[in-house]
Amino acid sequence: FNSRDLKLLDILSTQAGLAISNAELFKEREKILLQGVSTLVEAIEAKDPYSSGHSRRVAHYAECLCKELHLSEQIQKDIFLSSLLHDVGKIGITDEILLRTGKLTKEEFEIIQHHPQKGEAIVDHFTLMHDLLSGIRSHHERYDGKGYPDKLKGDEIPLPAKIIAIADTFDALTSHRPYRSAFTPDEAISIMIENRGTQFDPELLDAFVSCFKKGGIP
């Protein structure tokens, strides 16, 4: 090697070292992010044991829909994590209301409806989770604009929120509740199809139904 070759190798080795260091930092960032998400999910389930497993099931259904839509790996990851945390705002709801088995009053239901904003406020404290905020805040918006908290309509609703809304509803329908028995998966799909274009984005719901029929939603 002449001096020119050695200089080039020195530059390349420096760049390689930086690349390795960045990769290690990225892995550490991912580890911290997942630990934070896991801690918050545990807090949700400790708050409402009756819905234990709900967040993980919603995340799984959302992941299946993301794959059916062929979304990028990063978008899939963000939606998966947003799904895990979509109900984190319920930490801020009193047990008296959250664990009520009977019918809620109008005022109590309005308090429940604030959990998306509460969830956004909680997650906003974590810089690494800022990409998850839109899915958490808007997962109760409806395609026809009659949802909450912002009355968003159609394409105004962020994609993560529209996907989580479908996954969340499917799990809610197929889970037992104090006031009703669980619907079968087929019954749940039929109910959701009836709300195609009103509660749900029609194209996304079609993709979810397609995924279900192919066995992708166990």
Side-chain angles (χ1 to χ4, degrees):
F1 296 104
N2 58 34
S3 59
R4 183 174 155 189
D5 295 326
L6 291 172
K7 186 175 181 180
L8 178 60
L9 285 172
D10 182 54
I11 293 171
L12 290 175
S13 64
T14 300
Q15 292 299 319
L18 287 171
I20 293 169
S21 178
N22 287 337
E24 290 173 347
L25 286 172
F26 181 77
K27 286 181 180 179
E28 186 63 24
R29 176 184 179 275
E30 290 283 285
K31 181 180 178 182
I32 293 170
L33 175 60
L34 292 173
Q35 286 174 341
V37 170
S38 179
T39 299
L40 288 171
V41 171
E42 288 177 11
I44 299 167
E45 296 192 347
K47 179 77 173 180
D48 184 8
Y50 187 81
S51 62
S52 179
H54 169 69
S55 297
R56 290 180 173 84
R57 290 192 301 272
V58 170
H60 173 66
Y61 300 145
E63 183 179 42
C64 294
L65 178 51
C66 286
K67 290 178 179 177
E68 181 72 16
L69 296 168
H70 304 292
L71 301 179
S72 71
E73 184 177 342
Q74 185 58 53
I75 291 176
Q76 288 191 44
K77 185 181 295 184
D78 287 345
I79 291 175
F80 180 81
L81 295 176
S82 299
S83 302
L84 283 173
L85 295 175
H86 74 283
D87 273 345
V88 70
K90 289 184 177 179
I91 294 172
I93 306 296
T94 64
D95 290 347
E96 181 184 3
I97 295 175
L98 189 62
L99 305 180
R100 176 78 56 82
T101 56
K103 187 176 181 180
L104 296 172
T105 65
K106 180 182 177 182
E107 291 75 19
E108 290 171 335
F109 185 65
E110 288 176 352
I111 292 172
I112 287 285
Q113 287 183 316
H114 282 99
H115 80 268
Q117 299 104 302
K118 290 179 181 291
E120 180 189 41
I122 291 169
V123 175
D124 190 43
H125 289 291
F126 299 85
T127 304
L128 295 180
M129 299 185 191
H130 280 182
D131 290 340
L132 314 182
L133 295 177
S134 65
I136 294 169
R137 180 181 179 88
S138 302
H139 71 277
H140 276 295
E141 300 290 353
R142 289 172 52 106
Y143 195 73
D144 59 8
K146 296 180 180 179
Y148 61 88
D150 301 309
K151 304 293 183 184
L152 301 180
K153 183 178 182 180
D155 291 337
E156 294 174 350
I157 306 171
L159 176 63
K162 290 193 283 189
I163 288 175
I164 294 171
I166 291 172
D168 187 29
T169 302
F170 182 77
D171 188 67
L173 291 171
T174 54
S175 298
H176 290 288
R177 290 290 183 264
Y179 49 87
R180 65 156 173 81
S181 298
F183 292 99
T184 67
D186 286 317
E187 289 171 337
I189 289 293
S190 295
I191 292 169
M192 292 172 72
I193 290 174
E194 290 175 4
N195 290 278
R196 180 184 184 276
T198 53
Q199 183 175 353
F200 308 112
D201 182 303
E203 293 184 5
L204 295 182
L205 183 62
D206 289 347
F208 186 79
V209 172
S210 175
C211 189
F212 174 80
K213 290 180 177 179
K214 291 189 290 188
I217 309 292

